[in-house]
């Protein structure tokens, strides 16, 4: 995914970034998306993104122009997400490969099946079809059984699930409750981007609030998480990112790449899946674990924030079918995070 800022696009003289168009070297127009990254008062986009494939060391040229406002068709969408009030305040998001949900405040007091958790849940997809709206429309009796598009075969519960986080203190993990507020900044066709706020929670006798920003791009098995902690009193924070412990899982950690991966059986004998967390190797402190989770403990930034990637793959989807293939994908993704595509802009 290539990002062009409003400043880089300023020579075009077009203030409405939804009117920006991108063509490749052959003149083919590419789908591009205007994104609001700061959630300002007018919800005004401040960057444009598009996607392309690059071989190692390859250089490509694209032409960017201003024209009519972008108009997308449903089939253009490869990423989507929304707040789901009708399912007790879920926030659900997906792209063409994976889907997730996490839990809002209303679920804590639902009499049917209450759950207090800031875990990251997994919804497994068999094909690129966007499934969130259909599955919620049909209800949990539908998606808790495998259908032609996949199903919910993962129980995140009170664990960290697939990349949930917390604060490591006094040799244990302290975690927030369910989110209390959500903001959707972008919802396709290329990227879904949103923020969740969490009320102050106890960290070894002190209160810490947090805001989590999540983005997921089309074609990616991994989400990007940016978490900012907000302690009510001065304290040193040591965050940790985790994966749920699963019986029979094969776990590997690569300190050079900052990657923690598992290859594990699905709950209802629906094949195998790989989960992963990628952290900045320079921020790594130690591996740890508790009763529920495998953990990677890291240093927080000077603003009490962390940035990491987490995601999964299901062998029945057909793209990544072995542990070796999963570890290779994650290792190459981590290398790409450390060596992003270099973008230069010139005016003609």
């Amino acid at each position: 995914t290539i990002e062009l800022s409003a400043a880089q696009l300023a020579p075009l003289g077009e203030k409405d970034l939804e009117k920006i168009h991108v063509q490749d070297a052959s003149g083919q127009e590419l789908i591009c998306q205007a994104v609001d990254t700061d959630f300002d008062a007018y919800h005004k986009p401040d960057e444009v993104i598009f996607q392309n494939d690059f071989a190692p060391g390859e250089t490509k040229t694209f032409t960017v122009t201003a024209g009519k406002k972008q108009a997308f068709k449903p089939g253009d969408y490869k990423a989507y997400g929304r707040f789901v009030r009708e399912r007790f305040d879920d926030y659900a998001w997906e792209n063409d490969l994976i889907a997730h949900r996490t839990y809002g405040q209303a679920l804590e007091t639902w009499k049917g099946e209450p759950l207090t958790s800031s875990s990251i849940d997994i919804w497994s997809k068999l094909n690129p079809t966007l499934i969130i709206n259909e599955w919620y429309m049909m209800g949990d009796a539908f998606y808790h059984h495998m259908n032609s598009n996949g199903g919910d075969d993962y129980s995140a519960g009170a664990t960290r699930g697939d990349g949930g986080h917390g604060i490591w203190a006094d040799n244990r993990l302290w975690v927030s409750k369910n989110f209390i507020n959500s903001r959707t900044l972008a919802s396709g066709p290329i990227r879904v981007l949103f923020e969740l706020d969490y009320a102050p929670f106890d960290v070894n006798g002190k209160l810490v609030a947090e805001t989590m920003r999540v983005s997921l791009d089309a074609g990616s098995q991994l989400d990007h998480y940016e978490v900012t902690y907000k302690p009510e009193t001065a304290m040193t924070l040591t965050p940790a990112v985790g994966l749920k412990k699963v019986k029979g899982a094969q776990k590997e950690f690569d300190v050079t790449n900052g990657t923690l991966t598992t290859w594990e059986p699905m709950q209802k004998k629906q094949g195998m899946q790989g989960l992963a967390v990628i952290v900045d190797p320079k921020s790594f402190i130690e591996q740890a674990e508790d009763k529920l989770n495998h953990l990677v403990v890291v240093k927080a930034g000077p603003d009490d924030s962390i940035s990491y990637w987490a995601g999964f793959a299901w062998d029945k989807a057909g793209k990544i079918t072995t542990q070796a293939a999963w570890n290779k994908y994650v290792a190459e993704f981590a290398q790409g995070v450390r060596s992003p595509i270099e973008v230069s802009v010139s005016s003609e």
Side-chain angles (χ1 to χ4, degrees):
T1 303
I2 300 168
E3 301 174 347
L4 299 175
S5 68
Q8 289 174 308
L9 297 169
L12 291 174
E14 178 55 69
K15 294 184 178 180
D16 184 355
L17 298 190
E18 292 184 343
K19 293 183 178 180
I20 299 301
H21 295 255
V22 178
Q23 293 180 328
D24 64 17
S26 70
Q28 179 180 352
E29 180 151 354
L30 306 178
I31 292 177
C32 62
Q33 177 185 349
V35 177
D36 172 24
T37 64
D38 58 9
F39 205 73
D40 58 16
Y42 298 98
H43 205 36
K44 182 180 178 182
D46 43 61
E47 71 175 19
V48 170
I49 63 174
F50 65 97
Q51 294 187 315
N52 213 265
D53 293 324
F54 289 80
E58 183 177 12
T59 298
K60 289 186 176 183
T61 300
F62 303 89
T63 301
V64 184
T65 59
K68 294 182 179 180
K69 190 171 183 177
Q70 290 282 1
F72 303 116
K73 305 183 294 295
D76 294 331
Y77 280 77
K78 307 299 181 186
Y80 176 66
R82 71 177 180 94
F83 175 63
V84 188
R85 184 177 296 280
E86 66 268 28
R87 222 298 297 197
F88 306 100
D89 292 1
D90 282 353
Y91 198 101
W93 68 103
E94 64 178 316
N95 66 4
D96 47 332
L97 301 177
I98 62 174
H100 297 281
R101 68 174 170 183
T102 193
Y103 311 116
Q105 194 172 29
L107 190 60
E108 294 180 12
T109 55
W110 177 38
K111 292 183 179 181
E113 190 178 348
L115 176 62
T116 297
S117 175
S118 53
S119 183
I120 305 298
D121 195 14
I122 284 174
W123 277 7
S124 304
K125 298 176 61 166
L126 285 168
N127 54 57
T129 303
L130 297 184
I131 50 83
I132 285 174
N133 284 337
E134 177 187 283
W135 287 14
Y136 277 114
M137 179 179 67
M138 298 296 290
D140 60 2
F142 172 75
Y143 59 73
H144 279 153
H145 297 85
M146 285 296 165
N147 58 74
S148 60
N149 292 324
D152 178 8
D153 192 48
Y154 187 82
S155 178
T159 75
R160 295 300 80 204
D162 181 24
H165 60 273
I167 302 295
W168 187 251
D170 193 25
N171 205 37
R172 59 161 287 190
L173 189 67
W174 307 77
V175 299
S176 58
K177 294 183 178 182
N178 304 33
F179 72 83
I180 60 173
N181 191 34
S182 67
R183 293 173 294 282
T184 301
L185 285 76
S187 193
I190 297 170
R191 172 177 293 171
V192 53
L193 174 66
F194 62 94
E195 291 181 342
L196 303 176
D197 296 327
Y198 293 83
F201 61 100
D202 177 45
V203 177
N204 202 21
K206 296 183 178 181
L207 293 177
V208 178
E210 69 178 60
T211 294
M212 179 173 72
R213 173 176 284 207
V214 185
S215 64
L216 177 62
D217 289 356
S220 177
Q221 304 281 164
L222 297 166
D223 310 79
H224 187 204
Y225 294 85
E226 298 171 280
V227 184
T228 301
Y229 299 103
K230 304 168 185 176
E232 292 192 353
T233 57
M235 61 184 298
T236 299
L237 298 177
T238 306
V241 184
L243 299 176
K244 173 188 172 182
K245 286 183 174 179
V246 172
K247 184 178 180 180
Q250 302 172 61
K251 177 176 73 78
E252 291 191 15
F253 180 72
D254 183 341
V255 67
T256 302
N257 280 322
T259 60
L260 171 66
T261 63
T262 62
W263 186 254
E264 61 192 46
M266 301 280 277
Q267 290 179 220
K268 302 174 185 176
K269 299 182 179 180
Q270 293 292 341
M272 301 291 289
Q273 63 183 6
L275 278 68
V277 168
I278 301 175
V279 301
D280 181 352
K282 296 178 181 178
S283 72
F284 172 71
I285 297 176
E286 63 175 333
Q287 289 186 75
E289 63 178 64
D290 61 13
K291 183 178 179 180
L292 300 176
N293 309 286
H294 302 293
L295 300 166
V296 180
V297 182
V298 297
K299 301 173 186 175
D303 58 349
D304 290 325
S305 69
I306 58 171
S307 173
Y308 65 94
W309 300 79
F312 73 99
W314 182 25
D315 65 350
K316 285 194 174 182
K319 181 180 178 182
I320 297 172
T321 59
T322 66
Q323 181 183 12
W326 176 235
N327 287 343
K328 181 175 184 290
Y329 176 90
V330 175
E332 291 179 349
F333 194 104
Q335 293 167 11
V337 170
R338 297 197 302 272
S339 302
I341 289 175
E342 296 179 6
V343 178
S344 61
V345 179
S346 61
S347 304
E348 293 186 356

